[in-house]
Amino acid sequence: LDGMLEPCTMVIIGASGDLTARKLVPSLFNLYLNGGLPDPLLIVGCSRTRIGDDEFRERMKKALSESGGLDQERGEAFARFLFYRPIEYDDLPAYTHLAEYLHEMDRKYQTRGNRIFYLAIPLALYETTARMLGQASLSEEDNERKAWSRIVVEKPFGRDLETARALDSVL
């Protein structure tokens, strides 16, 4: 896999929820242990919960410990790349601040503007969040710099065919 994986930042919207602690971070840690992640991969958790980087790291290390997958030394190394930003899902200035923060992180960690936005939020928030990402220019790709951006949604993808098509259109 060496050389095939481009440095990037994964932004988990809804990071204070159960999905992140029980499934996403343990899966990412397992990939980390097996050399299946790009170097670097920054993980930026975002949700309405008002915490900082250190508390987010501690919560995720606790979740890894509870999942039975925490190698203490490698867990500390992995946690160095976990960050957190509070966000209100329908607040454009929050996304604008997130964009500024991610640009800073791109410069500091050389992630080249490559981003994955993982929506670990209820279906009812997908459209609002996708629109906010677009309005803050976070979902745009930069062809000149060859930077890419992806939005990943948890299922369900709509309630029926009509709402699935509407969500696909927004995304």
Side-chain angles (χ1 to χ4, degrees):
L1 290 176
D2 237 9
M4 292 175 52
L5 302 172
E6 297 179 49
C8 70
T9 301
M10 174 181 265
V11 179
I12 302 173
I13 310 281
S16 64
D18 190 53
L19 173 66
T20 301
R22 284 190 329 104
K23 300 287 185 185
L24 294 177
V25 169
S27 295
L28 290 167
F29 183 61
N30 189 46
L31 285 169
Y32 170 77
L33 292 175
N34 293 298
L37 293 179
D39 184 23
L41 171 73
L42 306 182
I43 300 169
V44 178
C46 295
S47 69
R48 294 179 294 221
T49 304
R50 301 279 173 202
I51 60 173
D53 293 340
D54 290 337
E55 187 171 341
F56 182 65
R57 289 179 183 127
E58 288 306 313
R59 287 181 180 197
M60 294 305 105
K61 286 191 290 188
K62 181 180 181 207
L64 289 172
S65 180
E66 289 172 357
S67 75
L70 183 61
D71 165 321
Q72 195 64 38
E73 185 177 324
R74 296 196 64 198
E76 289 297 325
F78 176 75
R80 288 192 335 247
F81 296 101
L82 296 174
F83 303 91
Y84 186 85
R85 305 300 290 179
I87 195 168
E88 292 296 328
Y89 302 124
D90 60 351
D91 181 38
L92 183 56
Y95 288 85
T96 303
H97 292 304
L98 177 62
E100 292 165 2
Y101 175 77
L102 293 175
H103 289 301
E104 278 178 42
M105 299 300 272
D106 287 338
R107 284 189 293 277
K108 183 174 181 179
Y109 291 97
Q110 304 300 305
T111 51
R112 303 184 203 159
N114 296 326
R115 302 206 178 100
I116 300 168
F117 294 94
Y118 194 106
L119 306 187
I121 52 178
L123 171 63
L125 294 172
Y126 287 176
E127 185 174 337
T128 298
T129 303
R131 287 188 192 283
M132 292 293 120
L133 290 170
Q135 289 175 17
S137 300
L138 283 165
S139 59
E140 293 179 3
E141 297 189 341
D142 186 337
N143 292 329
E144 192 173 297
R145 287 185 4 199
K146 295 188 166 98
W148 47 264
S149 183
R150 306 288 186 265
I151 298 175
V152 178
V153 298
E154 258 307 303
K155 57 184 181 184
F157 195 89
R159 293 178 305 281
D160 52 29
L161 182 59
E162 182 181 328
T163 59
R165 285 183 174 154
L167 179 57
D168 186 56
S169 175
V170 168
L171 294 174

